[in-house]
């Protein structure tokens, strides 16, 4: 509004934003316009007031940037369609062009009066201007391309005030904002020159890195220059104006000036040392000069009849390419000034910076690549060629430059056609496909240019051909010069086998042809190169043929060929892999026993194929008994293994140890223990027994525990016999385990009586066992045995039942002072009460008798299981636990066991008894008296005399017999425990010969004969050591 206020309203007229200009009514708003660009983040409003300022605001009312002075009163403002430029007209009688940020770029057109309106035709560069005098002007704006190129760096103008530097290889871009109209751009190496209306800015790179894109200002030349072309060097800038060239330092001082004969049409820096760079200059009159910035004199390279449009010099500076005004590309030799060739339809040209003989030129919508004097390779491409580096061609199209990757295949093949391998390699290095590299490598290899071929194969990483070239080079170093042989190797690698064979034959190496065809399984061709019946070559050929048959999955044919060639191992491997057992055993039977390797392999496969019989046959043929034993063990053919072990005891350990382990794995621990013992592995045998014993006790299998303890004791006895160093320790363990075995054997009956609802034992047996255990148990009760809960309870119960009331009362009293399990509490309390009603004495029938001194012993004996009078240990039956009528006696010193046996076996006849009967009868009774005659009262038995002892002694006096006493004994009355060494035998005399006693020959436990026979019939073995009745004695 005229008062300097801007009001932004919605479509209903409601004000949303109000903007007050600082000048107020002194700065009336005369023109406003919205930026039509859709790329802007915010809506931007351009405001021009008669305070001669232009400002920019966001929709929110916030100002963008500062006010910019115009120096005239603006009457109209208009945006270009995309919002990149602004047109302003007013009191200065002209239309000016501004950037979207308000930077003035220049004048579009001058008028004779004030400009009141200006508009841009949509999507175009056409401008219409309306003036106060009624005139309308129509303008077309042309935005020229301002850019510069040096190798892979391209700088161009953007938005008229910015410069963008683009790295054409990495596609990196950097923007340099100048905030003024950019008029000229020049770039060279690490320098960048930008000409602005009033100054020239010189930039440099931060570092020497070829990929660095960070520029900084090096110098500023604050001066206005007019020029057609701008060139920058390392330390100078070159200004071109019509016919004149000026060289200025970076400080703006003019150092040199060159005046040309004609207008300068083209100028280019061709490199050189810093401060001494060379310039290539083309004139309108066709003259081409070379100028050095440190030299006042220009050098004329050549002069042609037509005007110069474009110039470029080859990398070695020996050739010059010129594009003239007739669109013709002409190539000259600089030294001779000779025209080498010319090509039509060219508008720009560039030499390859990496290859001397390659150039490209564009024109007519095509890109033309020419190598040396070969025909031109053409492909479609729009634009102008401005650079050629390696395989990349830089092309300017309209306002943008692009790097086009062009394969150099066509020129490479042109060189290959002429067998110029090194030149073809140079072209390939510029950029070709892997297929082209391989073709170059193959062509060079066939041309015997091994150096070029090696480089090419390295590119494609073909190790196979590199190995071939390396081997050929080694052979050449050793003096080989036969190129036919080298070429034959090359052909064989390339698959040209017949050509290779011909060359091998021509060079006198038919054996190589034979080897080649054999390796290729082309046996029909190989036979043509066989020597005159050489058996080695024939065998080799058959073997190779068999290998081939094996590879093509014809195994049976391969086996037959291997056998005919004598390659038995390979034949066996095939048979084994396919599971052909019959063929394996046939081969094994045909082989000689001296051929151990194939026989061993054959046996191994037979064993894997579950044919142990055939494998055993093979091992027997070899005489390899150890492997045979191992076979029997692995296949668990134990009977064959045991039979072999009987014949060859040295393999006993190899058989029984695995057998024992197998038994243990199958839960046959007792058999495993015996196997370990038989193998001599005492430690393992003892470990198995100890584990079995602990498990039995933990599971309350006390009969098994007794058996295992007995086996442990015998194991200890064996160790004591075999190892004198451990004799004392093992004997101590033997007696300990024997004692535990007796305790657990008796306790088993007690345990079963208390746990089971019915008992198989008689009350007298349970009574005797309870007394035996009570007297035998040590202070430290063995694991699992309950003295309170089981033994005393059973003793009290059975004593009461059998009439041993005094003992029963003692047992109940003991129980009352102990912790009683709940399930026994009521029974014990009831028994304790009822026993009080019984007499305080024991039945005389239960009182044990000492058969040495005929003393009746109390049922509760503080001394234990010995006589209270003579201290003679009682001998108990292992089934009923009655005291047996046996007395142990010892041999006098000097009497050996063998002598004692021989004396006892003499069987001295017993004295004859003459008993007579005398009958006395009366009215009230009839009496029968047995009267011994005097003849029957012979000499007293010598052993009975030895039973006497000193009365009242506290020490036990054993019965020691002499030879005379032994001679008087009957073999039927003597029982002998024949312990193995280092134990002595034990001798026992039966004092009641008519009462039969049986001793187990294995565990040496005593039984009443009737009880033992009944138990053996029930269980089929000894109830203590489980020795079967059919087993022979020890």
């Amino acid at each position: 509004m005229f008062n300097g206020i801007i009001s932004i309203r919605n479509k209903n007229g409601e004000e949303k934003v109000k903007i007050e200009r600082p000048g107020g009514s002194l700065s009336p708003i005369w023109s406003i316009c919205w930026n039509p660009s859709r790329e802007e983040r915010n809506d931007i409003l351009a405001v021009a007031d008669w305070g001669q300022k232009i400002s920019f605001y966001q929709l929110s009312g916030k100002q963008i940037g500062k006010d910019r002075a115009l120096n005239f009163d603006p009457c109209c403002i208009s945006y270009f369609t995309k919002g990149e430029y602004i047109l302003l007209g007013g009191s200065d009688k002209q239309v000016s062009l501004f950037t979207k940020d308000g930077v003035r770029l220049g004048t579009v057109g001058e008028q004779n009066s004030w400009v009141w309106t200006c508009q841009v035709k949509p999507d175009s560069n056409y401008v219409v201007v309306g003036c106060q005098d009624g005139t309308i002007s129509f303008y077309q704006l042309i935005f020229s391309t301002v850019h510069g190129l040096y190798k892979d760096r391209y700088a161009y103008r953007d938005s008229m005030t910015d410069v963008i530097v683009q790295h054409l290889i990495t596609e990196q871009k950097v923007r340099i904002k100048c905030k003024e109209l950019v008029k000229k751009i020049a770039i060279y190496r690490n320098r960048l020159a930008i000409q602005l209306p009033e100054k020239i800015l010189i930039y440099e790179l931060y570092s020497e890195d070829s990929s660095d894109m960070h520029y900084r200002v090096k110098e500023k030349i604050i001066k206005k220059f007019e020029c057609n072309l701008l060139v920058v060097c390392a330390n100078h800038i070159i200004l071109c104006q019509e016919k004149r060239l000026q060289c200025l330092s970076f400080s703006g001082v003019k150092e040199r000036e060159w005046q040309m004969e004609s207008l300068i049409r083209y100028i280019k820096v061709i490199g050189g040392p810093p401060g001494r760079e060379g310039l290539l200059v083309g004139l309108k009159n066709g003259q081409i000069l070379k100028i050095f910035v440190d030299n006042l004199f220009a050098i004329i390279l050549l002069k042609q009849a037509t005007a110069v449009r474009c110039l470029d010099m080859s990398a070695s500076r020996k050739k010059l390419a010129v594009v003239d005004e007739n669109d013709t590309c002409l190539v000259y030799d600089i030294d001779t000034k000779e025209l080498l060739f010319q090509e039509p339809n060219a508008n720009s040209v560039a030499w390859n910076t990496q290859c001397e003989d390659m150039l490209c030129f564009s024109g007519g919508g095509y890109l033309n690549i020419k190598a040396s004097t070969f025909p031109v390779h053409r492909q479609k491409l729009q634009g102008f060629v401005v650079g050629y580096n390696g395989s990349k061609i830089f092309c300017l199209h309209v306002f943008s430059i692009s790097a086009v990757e062009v394969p150099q295949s066509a020129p490479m093949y042109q060189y290959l056609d002429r067998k110029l391998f090194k030149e073809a390699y140079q072209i390939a290095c510029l950029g070709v496909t892997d297929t082209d590299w391989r073709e170059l490598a193959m062509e060079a290899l066939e041309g015997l240019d091994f150096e070029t071929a090696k480089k090419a194969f390295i590119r494609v990483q073909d190790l196979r051909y590199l190995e071939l070239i390396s081997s050929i080079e080694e052979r050449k170093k050793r003096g080989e010069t036969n190129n036919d042989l080298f070429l034959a190797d090359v052909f064989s690698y390339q698959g040209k086998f017949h050509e290779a064979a011909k060359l091998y034959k021509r060079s006198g190496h038919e054996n190589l042809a034979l080897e080649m065809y054999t390796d290729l399984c082309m046996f029909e061709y190989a036979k043509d190169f066989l020597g005159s019946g050489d058996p080695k070559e024939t065998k080799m050929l058959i073997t190779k043929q068999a290998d081939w048959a094996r590879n093509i999955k014809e195994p049976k044919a391969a086996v037959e060929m291997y056998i005919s060639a004598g390659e038995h191992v390979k034949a066996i491997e095939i048979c084994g892999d396919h599971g052909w057992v019959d063929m394996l055993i046939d081969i094994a039977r045909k082989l000689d026993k001296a051929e151990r390797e194939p026989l061993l392999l054959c046996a191994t496969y037979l064993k894997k194929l579950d044919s142990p019989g055939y494998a055993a046959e093979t091992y027997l043929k070899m005489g390899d008994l150890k492997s045979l034993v191992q076979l029997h063990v692995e296949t668990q053919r134990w009977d064959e293994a045991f039979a072999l072990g009987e014949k060859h005891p040295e393999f006993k350990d190899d058989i029984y140890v695995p057998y024992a382990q197998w038994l243990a794995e199958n839960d046959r621990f007792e058999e495993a223990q015996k196997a370990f013992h038989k193998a001599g592995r005492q430690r393992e045998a003892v470990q198995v027994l100890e584990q079995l014993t602990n498990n039995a006790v933990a599971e309350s299998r006390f009969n098994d525990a007794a058996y295992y303890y007995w086996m442990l004791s015998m194991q200890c006895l064996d160790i004591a016999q075999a190892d004198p160093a451990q004799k004392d320790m093992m004997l101590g363990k033997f007696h300990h385990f024997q004692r535990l075995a007796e305790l657990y054997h008796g306790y088993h009956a007690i345990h079963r009586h208390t746990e089971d609802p019915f008992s198989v034992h008689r009350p007298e047996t349970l009574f005797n066992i309870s007394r035996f255990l009570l007297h035998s148990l040590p202070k430290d009760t063995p694991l699992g045995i309950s003295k309170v809960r089981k033994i005393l309870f059973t003793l009290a119960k059975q004593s009461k039942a059998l009439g041993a009331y005094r003992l029963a009362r003692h047992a109940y009293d003991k129980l009352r002072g102990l912790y009683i399990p709940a399930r026994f509490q009521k029974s014990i309390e009831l028994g304790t009460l009822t026993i009080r009603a019984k007499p305080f004495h024991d039945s005389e029938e239960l009182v044990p008798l000492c058969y040495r001194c005929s003393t009746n012993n109390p049922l509760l004996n503080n001394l234990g299981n010995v006589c209270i009078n003579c201290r003679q240990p009682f001998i108990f039956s292992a089934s009923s636990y009655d005291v047996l009528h046996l007395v142990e006696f010892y041999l006098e010193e000097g009497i050996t066991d063998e002598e004692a046996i021989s004396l006892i076996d003499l069987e001295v006849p017993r004295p004859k008894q003459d008993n007579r009967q005398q009958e006395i009868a009366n009215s009230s009774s009839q009496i029968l008296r047995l009267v011994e005659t005097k003849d029957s009262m012979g000499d007293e038995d010598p052993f009975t005399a030895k039973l006497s002892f000193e009365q009242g002694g506290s020490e036990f006096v054993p019965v020691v017999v002499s030879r005379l006493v032994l001679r008087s004994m009957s073999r039927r009355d003597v029982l002998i425990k024949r312990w193995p060494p280092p134990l002595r035998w034990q001798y026992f005399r039966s004092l009641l010969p008519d009462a039969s006693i049986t001793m187990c020959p294995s565990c040496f436990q005593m039984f009443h004969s009737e009880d033992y026979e009944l138990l053996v019939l029930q269980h089929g073995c000894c109830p203590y050591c489980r020795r079967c009745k059919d087993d022979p004695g020890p």
Side-chain angles (χ1 to χ4, degrees), residues 869-886:
N869 183 27
C870 63
R871 306 297 195 272
Q872 179 71 33
F874 295 130
I875 312 299
F876 292 94
S877 167
S879 58
S880 65
Y881 283 83
D882 292 334
V883 177
L884 298 176
H885 45 84
L886 295 174

Side-chain angles (χ1 to χ4, degrees), residues 94-284:
Q94 63 183 7
V95 176
S96 301
L97 183 67
F98 290 80
T99 66
K100 62 181 180 180
D101 297 323
V103 177
R104 190 176 187 279
L105 298 177
T107 301
V108 175
E110 295 183 357
Q111 306 297 322
N112 296 322
S113 61
W114 284 25
V115 176
W116 285 97
T117 181
C118 57
Q119 289 294 328
V120 181
K121 184 180 179 182
D123 298 321
S124 71
N125 294 333
Y126 295 103
V127 175
V128 177
V129 179
C131 302
Q132 185 178 357
D133 59 4
T135 60
I136 297 176
S137 303
F138 186 72
Y139 296 92
Q140 181 183 7
L141 301 185
I142 298 176
F143 297 92
S144 61
T145 303
V146 178
H147 62 137
L149 173 71
Y150 179 77
K151 291 189 177 178
D152 51 10
R153 289 179 186 265
Y154 176 61
Y156 60 95
R157 182 175 67 180
D158 185 60
S159 299
M160 303 298 285
T161 59
D162 295 346
V163 174
I164 294 178
V165 182
Q166 176 183 358
H167 197 291
L168 299 174
I169 305 299
T170 63
E171 295 296 330
Q172 289 178 288
K173 290 184 180 181
V174 60
R175 179 182 292 272
I176 300 174
K177 293 188 175 183
C178 301
K179 298 183 180 179
E180 291 187 61
L181 175 64
V182 175
K183 300 181 69 175
K184 296 287 187 296
I185 298 173
I187 187 168
Y188 174 73
R189 291 186 180 171
N190 62 339
R191 297 284 190 264
L192 173 67
I194 303 174
Q195 183 186 11
L196 303 177
E198 303 294 334
K199 58 187 173 182
I200 295 178
L201 302 178
I202 311 296
Y203 290 85
E204 67 176 356
L205 287 172
Y206 271 85
S207 68
E208 297 295 329
D209 186 4
S210 61
S211 61
D212 184 25
M213 295 295 289
H214 296 86
Y215 285 89
R216 62 185 174 187
V217 177
K218 178 176 176 62
E219 297 289 347
K220 294 181 181 180
I221 303 175
I222 310 300
K223 189 176 181 181
K224 183 176 181 179
F225 294 98
E226 293 294 335
C227 62
N228 300 327
L229 297 171
L230 176 67
V231 176
V232 66
C233 298
N235 300 321
H236 301 85
I237 60 170
I238 311 297
L239 301 178
C240 175
Q241 180 66 24
E242 302 294 337
K243 299 179 182 180
R244 186 179 61 193
L245 281 179
Q246 289 182 335
C247 177
L248 281 70
S249 67
F250 286 164
S251 59
V253 178
K254 184 174 73 172
E255 294 185 355
R256 287 171 192 81
E257 183 175 314
W258 297 272
Q259 189 72 29
M260 304 299 159
E261 298 177 359
S262 178
L263 292 175
I264 299 172
R265 297 288 298 273
Y266 191 87
I267 184 170
K268 181 177 184 180
V269 184
I270 57 174
R276 301 176 60 190
E277 291 88 355
L279 303 177
L280 197 61
V281 180
L283 306 181
K284 186 176 181 180

Side-chain angles (χ1 to χ4, degrees), residues 356-367:
E356 173 69 17
D357 293 331
M358 287 194 68
L359 61 78
C360 67
F361 59 91
S362 58
Y366 286 93
L367 173 68

Side-chain angles (χ1 to χ4, degrees), residues 354-379:
Q354 297 182 18
C355 182
E356 173 69 17
D357 293 331
M358 287 194 68
L359 61 78
C360 67
F361 59 91
S362 58
Y366 286 93
L367 173 68
N368 304 276
I369 300 174
K370 185 173 180 66
S372 186
T373 58
F374 298 120
V376 172
H377 173 69
R378 177 176 293 182
Q379 65 183 57

